Amino acid sequence: MATEETLDGGTLTTLEPGELQAELATTVLIDVRTPQEYALNHVEGALLVPLAELDPKRLPHGGDGVVFICGSGVRSKKAAARCFAAGARAAAHLGGGFGAWKSAGLPYRGVDPMTGAPKTMG
């Protein structure tokens, strides 16, 4: 079940993998991992904006109402905090990050180790 906490003046919602999957059609998912991590595997439809390059002013709604994902949940929480510092009031992230997504058996785009081609996995 989703939880909420106040962080740097904004409300951060921490989602579980199934909750995020249910919201994918109506939310903007921002992957804040590195390009190399994203190339190996990512949630289909996620936009890549590495944390090192994150500028809340360049995000949809200034980061207000978007969902962040990273490898474990640490960088995505930092991304939300950066948005709150820039004036956003609400954001969400995936608790446990992409690791939790994969552990839940949810679909993602990955690289087929036999061919090197991208394919849907999970």
Side-chain angles (χ1 to χ4, degrees):
M1 176 172 295
T3 60
E4 291 186 349
E5 66 180 287
T6 300
L7 179 69
D8 295 331
T11 300
L12 176 66
T13 302
T14 300
L15 300 170
E16 293 181 8
E19 293 169 323
L20 175 56
Q21 184 184 37
E23 293 185 16
L24 281 178
T26 59
T27 193
V28 177
L29 180 61
I30 307 288
D31 192 322
V32 296
R33 298 177 300 155
T34 65
Q36 295 83 0
E37 290 171 299
Y38 182 89
L40 287 175
N41 49 44
H42 60 274
V43 175
E44 195 158 5
L47 304 174
L48 175 63
V49 181
L51 183 60
E53 300 170 19
L54 182 74
D55 178 355
K57 294 177 186 139
R58 298 188 68 180
L59 294 176
H61 317 291
D64 212 0
V66 302
V67 178
F68 295 102
I69 185 171
C70 67
S72 66
V74 173
R75 286 176 284 180
S76 57
K77 192 171 185 176
K78 288 179 182 178
R82 192 176 293 179
C83 290
F84 297 150
R89 295 183 316 266
H93 81 127
L94 177 61
F98 189 75
W101 183 270
K102 282 177 69 174
S103 292
L106 297 172
Y108 62 94
R109 293 296 287 174
V111 175
D112 184 330
M114 299 299 287
T115 65
K119 75 175 198 175
T120 299
M121 307 172 96

